[in-house]
Amino acid sequence: MATSSRPSAQRQRRLIIGVASALALLTTIPVAAYGGEGGGDEHPQPIDFAHNARDTAAPVAGAVFGSGPTVKTGTAICTTPTQTGANANTDCDGPNPHNETSIAVNPTDASNMIGGANDYQLGINPGGHVSESVLSRAHVTFDGGKTWSEYPIFSNRAYQGTGDPALAFDEAGNAYYGTLGFRFVGPANATNPDVLVSHSYDSGKTWSTSRVAQGSGTETSVGDLLDKEYVAAWGDGNAIVTYGDFRLAQKGSFVSARIYASVTHNAGRTWSTPTVISGSLDEAFVSVPTVTADGRIFVAFLNTTHPANGRDSYEVVQVDPQTGASMGAPTEVGTVFDGVHDYPIALGRQTYQDSIFRSWAAGNITADPTDADHLAVVWSDMRNSELPAPQNPYKATTNSDVIVSQSFNGGQSWSKPTAVSAANDQWMPWGAYDTHGMLRIGTFDRSTDPANHVYNYSLATETAHGSLSFGGYTPVSSVTSDPTKDNRWFAATLNAKYPFATSFLGDYSNIAPTANGGVVAYWTDLRNDVTFAGRTGHGQDAYFAKHG
């Protein structure tokens, strides 16, 4: 993928191949090693399609993208056993990977929650070739998280892949599930995705799907690559979806990136024509909306504002709840330390010490239910790490921190970004105010490991309202996960001391507030080993926990 004449949002979002290849030459990792398992770029694959069941070489042409198992909307695919421990595995469909998690709690029934994930369906045909579909499911509990059932969000064959799951309930208990929809056009390419939002009126069992926006072309052609949709909902039947639109020119070269919004006022049956909300900013990406206590809507997103070093800024814009249109220009929250020299690089992506999984700075915006003018934006970056970062992750010592900024005047001005200081790396944070107005932050967290390898999913809780002071991280995962070695999915070996490191954990996990003043957490967890095609390694499951 060619680069533009200036650093682009796409370079930050995807570290596009031209830049990544140049950076790779600065490392001691052989470029050839980048072709290991999970070597696909925009659609990382859980296993190498160039290997058969005996893990011996096979032609790439032998791999087949499948359409997934036959399912019926409204009928559970499977249900977990009852789980009474501190953590619950929400997956029940066999040894398949699940990552990139989102969760929402039904405000009309606290025992009903819906989780979303990138859910992969893998199979091996009699010839030893792997078939794969990537169709997100609704992971639904009706008993407060003890048992979970997986429901399909659509049953047709229009899409072979979905991704970027996003969940929300409105105040009446209507559920909304945003995804991207892909159609594969070969073993190494796909159509640019559509933005889909499914809605459920029965607590997550039965879904109907609307296409809100249509992508065009492929990732190597002229077109519109739609990316990272997210949803929020309010009242009875009101919801908003925001997403990024990467405009591509010949051979997929970057032209511009803008944020769009669309709204529904009939519980997802129809959606408004999407409208640009990022103003004049044209390198904008990864947006998240939030709804305030008095019904206003604010959207946070990243924009590549600093071309000299490729760093982004977080921006916030207010939009009209009725139309989804912007109500003014975006306001800058602060600079994000996520430029081209701020992270180590593996497989062309930003990563951390002794790791190869891709990461980035993105977080979210959240609204205080006790004060309609009080907002917070949460992200992670490398401002407290060694800079410039060594490009080789196996020669880097990294210290990624969660960063927070808040506004007490409805987003008109923002506090100086503050680090939630902790040892080692924290990444992919998600903020949520609890019912008492205390900011909670969920994050992948390596602070308990002196080697900076294994992670917990952890929570930080504000010690006083509006203080942005936190009493450290409390692990909610009861078992640590090791992405640096011995993984079954998305695995590659770039350093012999760290065989089968995972290259993909998803791009986010998150938390959601509960009515009793606590939160629930939902994250990608690697504790369970799985065996597939003759090799055993750490799996990837969508795990759940309550806190407070």
Side-chain angles (χ1 to χ4, degrees), residues 13-357:
R13 163 64 180 86
R14 302 180 179 278
L15 281 175
I16 54 178
I17 298 302
V19 174
S21 298
L23 293 174
L25 296 176
L26 301 177
T27 75
T28 60
I29 300 173
V31 173
Y34 291 7
E37 287 187 80
D41 183 39
E42 302 308 334
H43 304 286
Q45 304 302 324
I47 63 168
D48 185 358
F49 279 161
H51 290 71
N52 64 17
R54 297 181 300 278
D55 207 30
T56 57
V60 172
V64 177
F65 282 114
S67 56
T70 300
V71 296
K72 182 179 179 181
T73 302
T75 300
I77 299 167
C78 57
T79 299
T80 69
T82 300
Q83 302 167 84
T84 58
N87 296 172
N89 187 349
T90 71
D91 308 326
C92 54
D93 59 348
N96 296 309
H98 309 266
N99 53 43
E100 201 161 282
T101 53
S102 174
I103 194 167
V105 182
N106 189 340
T108 70
D109 179 1
S111 63
N112 174 217
M113 291 168 275
I114 305 175
N118 291 339
D119 296 304
Y120 297 76
Q121 299 82 39
L122 303 178
I124 303 175
N125 67 23
H129 298 130
V130 173
S131 174
E132 175 202 14
S133 58
V134 193
L135 295 169
S136 294
R137 312 302 195 189
H139 299 235
V140 185
T141 181
F142 300 99
D143 60 8
K146 297 182 180 68
T147 60
W148 294 79
S149 298
E150 291 186 33
Y151 289 89
I153 55 175
F154 52 77
S155 56
N156 60 44
R157 302 297 180 91
Y159 299 96
Q160 291 80 47
T162 58
D164 293 4
L167 266 298
F169 278 101
D170 67 25
E171 293 166 37
N174 301 305
Y176 305 87
Y177 194 146
T179 62
L180 301 177
F182 296 89
R183 298 180 180 90
F184 296 120
V185 294
N189 209 351
T191 59
N192 285 333
D194 299 337
V195 172
L196 311 175
V197 182
S198 303
H199 58 270
S200 173
Y201 307 145
D202 61 358
S203 304
K205 293 185 288 187
T206 306
W207 298 84
S208 298
T209 301
S210 298
R211 185 176 66 190
V212 177
Q214 184 174 5
S216 61
T218 70
E219 294 173 9
T220 56
S221 74
V222 174
D224 290 272
L225 192 161
L226 310 185
D227 191 40
K228 284 291 177 287
E229 90 305 324
Y230 217 83
V231 293
W234 69 100
D236 184 354
N238 305 301
I240 183 171
V241 60
T242 65
Y243 63 91
D245 183 341
F246 293 91
R247 182 62 182 163
L248 306 180
Q250 294 293 330
K251 299 182 179 181
S253 59
F254 174 79
V255 177
S256 63
R258 294 182 171 89
I259 304 299
Y260 284 75
S262 174
V263 294
T264 181
H265 300 298
N266 55 15
R269 295 180 183 89
T270 60
W271 292 80
S272 66
T273 300
T275 181
V276 176
I277 61 170
S278 49
S280 62
L281 301 177
D282 62 358
E283 298 195 7
F285 61 111
V286 62
S287 61
V288 176
T290 194
V291 182
T292 65
D294 60 1
R296 289 174 291 165
I297 299 175
F298 293 86
V299 181
F301 59 91
L302 287 166
N303 185 76
T304 306
T305 309
H306 306 282
N309 54 25
R311 287 176 178 165
D312 299 312
S313 61
Y314 244 109
E315 306 280 340
V316 170
V317 63
Q318 184 177 355
V319 303
D320 187 330
Q322 291 302 309
T323 66
S326 61
M327 298 178 67
T331 299
E332 182 173 336
V333 176
T335 297
V336 180
F337 286 64
D338 65 343
V340 293
H341 300 298
D342 294 337
Y343 289 78
I345 304 296
L347 299 170
R349 302 301 184 99
Q350 296 167 327
T351 191
Y352 304 105
Q353 178 178 338
D354 296 333
S355 303
I356 66 171
F357 63 88

Side-chain angles (χ1 to χ4, degrees), residues 283 368 394:
E283 298 195 7
D368 181 351
Y394 298 106

Side-chain angles (χ1 to χ4, degrees), residues 422-446:
N424 303 331
D425 293 319
Q426 293 78 43
W427 67 92
M428 298 181 196
W430 199 270
Y433 281 102
D434 64 25
T435 55
H436 306 297
M438 297 295 187
L439 181 60
R440 308 287 195 100
I441 300 173
T443 186
F444 294 95
D445 169 33
R446 282 172 160 171

